[in-house]
Amino acid sequence: MNKKVLIVGGVAGGASAAARLRRLDENIEIILFERGQYISFANCGLPYHIGEVIKKREKLLLQTPEAMKKRFNIDVRVHNEVISIDKENKKVSVKNTITGDIYDESYDELILSTGSSPQRPAIPGINGENIFTIWNIPDMDDIKDYLSKENIKEVSIVGGGFIGVEMAENFCELGLDVHIIQRPNQVMPTVDFEMAQFLHQYMEDKGIKLILEDGVKEFRSEGGKTIVITNKGREIVSDLVILSIGIKANSQLAKDAGLELNDRGGIIVNEYLKTSDPHIYAVGDVIQVKDFVNGVNTMVPLAGPANKQGRIVANNIAGYREEYKGTQGTSVAKIFDMTISSTGTNEKTLMKLGKSYGRDYQSIYLHPVNHAGYYPGSQVIHMKLIYELPTGRVLGAQGIGGAGTDKRIDVIATAIRFGATVESLKELELAYAPPYSSAKDPVNMAGFIATNHLSGNMDVIQYYEIEELNLNEYTILDVRTPVERNFGFIPNSINIAVDQLRDRLDELDKAKTIVVYCAVGVRSWTAYNVLKHNGFSPRNLTGGYTTYSTAYYNQEGKIDYPKN
């Protein structure tokens, strides 16, 4: 007798599981239920259709029920919502959302790909007619329709994650004035604060108004507009409001069935993506996964991992035995001409795990250009690399900058997946031609810097440690030119340009530790070695004045990291 598999939910996880199952077994019976109208659509492309970058709506519809039936012989039932699971009798109850009819369907194996939904917290006025979420095709259609009918000039976006930032760009491209209101002190929480500061500065230069460290207290409707009232008393008049506050797992079906959940509502699965019931699997936003780098349980709502999970579940149902080895959270986003990308763990996560976790680490910064500087059009990539001490194992990386930023993070993501160390980054042989890179690629450069530190050749200091230095014990030395110093410098620092340093060593006190910095850390590394070989005790400010000055850009200097 042929096996019967039911799949609840489409899009990334469910649709990929269905297609993979059919490729592995022509005779298996596959039924996919979707409570909405669309089984597979490009949800990451929704903001770009609103912004008219993607002109044709149908480009976002990746697969239709008819096409899936024709190509894969899969019974796709849209407008059919699975309302309960009977584990003991291995059947589900399904409601046709158009007719209201309810029927049962049996299964041998069940896959839950129920995804997640935008959060709508109990904020007064949150259900106003011009307040929207953006999560699926109907959401997109509603926003497009509202834009076409109303005279929209001012938009407020509540939340500064991926969707919030992408929507901000697309609204700006439509000529609208945009505010982002974000309760944390930064947008794009996948990167650390000081890296997000490069993004803050860029976004404000583009005209986006950022309201950070301030949440929404109330929405008040007045004359067809919404007044967004923040916790700190700001009032922002808005023609349109987008909620991008966060998501919650759609796990009520699993909960009602008695499947094991975590405290965030995520379905707990084992390494084969099997739930607490031996015949029920789960994939995508709704499940708890293992953090590939840190080994702790987490939830990572990304399309790439969901697709892979769907494929793995199909393999396991078809008789292969394949483990899901964890999610490392590699991500990328675009805002105007800037790319924001990261992989692995960030420093915030390591700090949250704390000393009880038992991992020591170091972070270094660099600001290389994306290709040979003499070739026209080079752009800076601001990079942060995090690695374990004393092993040098790469734990995470963040990149914010121009073309090629994503390429560098993808290289490091690959290195992390294979357990590479910073020594490995140094040794990588990467493609080089002047329009694409430098003979020493930014990834190699990150490896050089980290290896210099790890081997004991360079002692580094972080930007947030500077303000805590005892000037009776430390000298802060700026080795840039006097002209550069006119544009800003670290308080209490003295200036000796690197090319004059050997002739002016007698101006420095050997009894003090010398904290040396330049613009990005390259000239200061030269100065570091001059000082070291002449009997001084130097420390190099990683990332130089670029990291330091940007970290304190337009902020009160509230840094979450410890002062050492």
Side-chain angles (χ1 to χ4, degrees):
M1 185 176 178
N2 294 331
K3 186 178 289 187
K4 183 177 180 181
V5 177
L6 305 184
I7 303 173
V8 184
V11 195
S16 64
R20 177 65 175 171
L21 267 174
R22 175 57 71 227
R23 292 188 181 101
L24 294 174
D25 191 331
E26 182 63 24
N27 298 313
I28 197 168
E29 182 180 0
I30 306 169
I31 305 175
L32 190 154
F33 301 98
E34 173 55 56
R35 65 182 178 184
Q37 181 180 352
Y38 306 98
I39 59 163
S40 183
F41 62 92
N43 48 359
C44 296
L46 302 180
Y48 300 102
H49 181 57
I50 291 172
E52 299 183 359
V53 176
I54 300 171
K55 301 290 185 182
K56 295 182 179 180
R57 179 180 180 275
E58 58 267 26
K59 293 286 188 181
L60 301 175
L61 305 178
L62 305 179
Q63 189 64 271
T64 65
E66 296 77 17
M68 207 153 187
K69 175 67 175 178
K70 186 175 182 180
R71 177 164 296 180
F72 296 109
N73 190 26
I74 292 169
D75 183 356
V76 178
R77 302 179 188 177
V78 296
H79 299 298
N80 276 251
E81 180 180 5
V82 175
I83 56 176
S84 66
I85 301 169
D86 181 350
K87 295 185 300 182
E88 286 69 28
N89 295 301
K90 296 174 67 177
K91 65 180 182 179
V92 300
S93 290
V94 187
K95 180 180 180 179
N96 185 307
T97 59
I98 295 177
T99 67
D101 294 339
I102 296 176
Y103 62 95
D104 290 343
E105 197 73 60
S106 64
Y107 65 83
D108 294 305
E109 307 292 341
L110 178 65
I111 303 173
L112 300 181
S113 179
T114 48
S116 57
S117 299
Q119 293 193 39
R120 294 184 74 100
I123 300 172
I126 197 169
N127 294 317
E129 66 176 15
N130 62 349
I131 301 177
F132 299 88
T133 56
I134 175 68
W135 199 245
N136 54 34
I137 295 289
D139 291 341
M140 179 190 72
D141 291 341
D142 289 343
I143 295 169
K144 289 279 286 183
D145 184 61
Y146 197 82
L147 285 168
S148 68
K149 292 179 178 179
E150 305 294 333
N151 183 23
I152 307 299
K153 295 181 179 179
E154 301 276 351
V155 177
S156 288
I157 300 170
V158 185
F162 288 99
I163 294 174
V165 166
E166 290 168 351
M167 288 299 296
E169 174 193 354
N170 281 280
F171 282 134
C172 282
E173 296 287 18
L174 292 176
L176 307 180
D177 291 330
V178 178
H179 286 82
I180 291 182
I181 301 117
Q182 173 82 331
R183 187 167 58 183
N185 65 351
Q186 66 170 91
V187 300
M188 293 301 292
T190 52
V191 302
D192 288 313
F193 170 79
E194 71 281 6
M195 296 298 290
Q197 286 282 67
F198 289 102
L199 186 56
H200 297 159
Q201 188 170 13
Y202 180 76
M203 292 172 72
E204 290 186 336
D205 287 345
K206 289 290 188 178
I208 296 172
K209 303 170 186 69
L210 298 178
I211 299 173
L212 305 176
E213 296 187 274
D214 197 1
V216 176
K217 180 180 180 182
E218 179 184 355
F219 298 102
R220 186 173 70 235
S221 296
E222 285 186 10
K225 297 180 182 291
T226 290
I227 314 300
V228 183
I229 304 170
T230 74
N231 292 329
K232 293 184 178 180
R234 296 182 176 92
E235 295 191 3
I236 303 113
V237 180
S238 310
D239 300 305
L240 176 68
V241 176
I242 299 293
L243 300 177
S244 180
I245 300 172
I247 61 172
K248 59 182 178 181
N250 294 333
S251 57
Q252 190 63 46
L253 181 66
K255 182 178 180 181
D256 292 342
L259 298 180
E260 189 177 356
L261 308 181
N262 66 15
D263 57 4
R264 294 173 59 188
I267 301 173
I268 295 176
V269 295
N270 66 11
E271 63 270 33
Y272 303 105
L273 300 171
K274 189 174 289 188
T275 70
S276 52
D277 183 276
H279 297 286
I280 303 177
Y281 296 81
V283 299
D285 292 5
V286 76
I287 69 169
Q288 171 181 285
V289 296
K290 190 74 71 178
D291 179 327
F292 180 80
V293 173
N294 294 314
V296 298
N297 294 324
T298 187
M299 296 180 73
V300 183
L302 291 172
N307 269 288
K308 294 176 181 66
Q309 291 156 14
R311 179 185 176 89
I312 289 171
V313 163
N315 289 348
N316 288 328
I317 289 174
Y320 300 90
R321 195 165 174 82
E322 183 176 356
E323 296 183 15
Y324 184 68
K325 297 179 181 179
T327 303
Q328 67 189 67
T330 305
S331 64
V332 66
K334 167 188 175 296
I335 181 156
F336 303 107
D337 295 324
M338 181 172 278
T339 298
I340 312 105
S341 189
S342 63
T343 187
T345 194
N346 55 35
E347 197 163 355
K348 288 178 295 187
T349 300
L350 291 171
M351 291 300 303
K352 185 176 180 180
L353 289 172
K355 291 184 178 179
S356 60
Y357 184 62
R359 169 172 280 161
D360 196 6
Y361 68 91
Q362 182 61 278
S363 300
I364 57 99
Y365 304 89
L366 61 158
H367 309 279
V369 291
N370 60 342
H371 59 62
Y374 57 81
Y375 188 87
S378 63
Q379 300 170 314
V380 174
I381 301 176
H382 307 289
M383 294 179 65
K384 178 176 184 176
L385 181 72
I386 306 171
Y387 51 96
E388 187 178 56
L389 298 176
T391 66
R393 177 187 165 216
V394 182
L395 302 177
Q398 300 160 37
I400 295 180
T405 299
D406 56 329
K407 178 172 78 169
R408 274 60 188 216
I409 296 302
D410 276 343
V411 169
I412 298 175
T414 306
I416 290 173
R417 182 58 61 162
F418 294 128
T421 65
V422 295
E423 186 78 20
S424 303
L425 300 186
K426 185 182 75 171
E427 295 171 352
L428 287 175
E429 184 177 334
L430 303 172
Y432 161 61
Y436 299 102
S437 185
S438 300
K440 292 185 286 190
D441 187 85
V443 174
N444 298 135
M445 291 298 299
F448 295 151
I449 296 168
T451 304
N452 281 335
H453 166 255
L454 198 64
S455 64
N457 287 330
M458 178 175 65
D459 187 10
V460 301
I461 188 170
Q462 301 291 333
Y463 72 92
Y464 53 81
E465 297 180 84
I466 296 295
E467 65 184 46
E468 298 296 312
L469 294 178
N470 182 343
L471 296 179
N472 292 320
E473 300 175 0
Y474 287 85
T475 297
I476 305 173
L477 175 61
D478 181 350
V479 296
R480 299 174 300 162
T481 66
V483 172
E484 290 175 275
R485 190 171 168 85
N486 289 335
F487 293 97
F489 55 88
I490 296 176
N492 300 309
S493 62
I494 64 172
N495 182 216
I496 303 175
V498 64
D499 293 337
Q500 301 174 4
L501 183 58
R502 289 182 180 85
D503 297 328
R504 297 176 61 182
L505 290 173
D506 58 351
E507 298 177 28
L508 299 173
D509 185 352
K510 283 188 176 180
K512 293 184 178 182
T513 299
I514 311 296
V515 173
V516 59
Y517 76 93
C518 63
V520 298
V522 177
R523 284 172 292 172
S524 60
W525 172 229
T526 298
Y528 180 100
N529 284 291
V530 171
L531 293 166
K532 179 180 177 181
H533 294 302
N534 281 278
F536 291 87
S537 299
R539 298 183 71 185
N540 194 3
L541 175 61
T542 180
Y545 188 70
T546 299
T547 297
Y548 176 90
S549 60
T550 305
Y552 291 98
Y553 162 75
N554 202 23
Q555 292 285 319
E556 298 173 5
K558 296 178 180 177
I559 308 300
D560 293 331
Y561 305 142
K563 307 296 191 296
N564 296 327

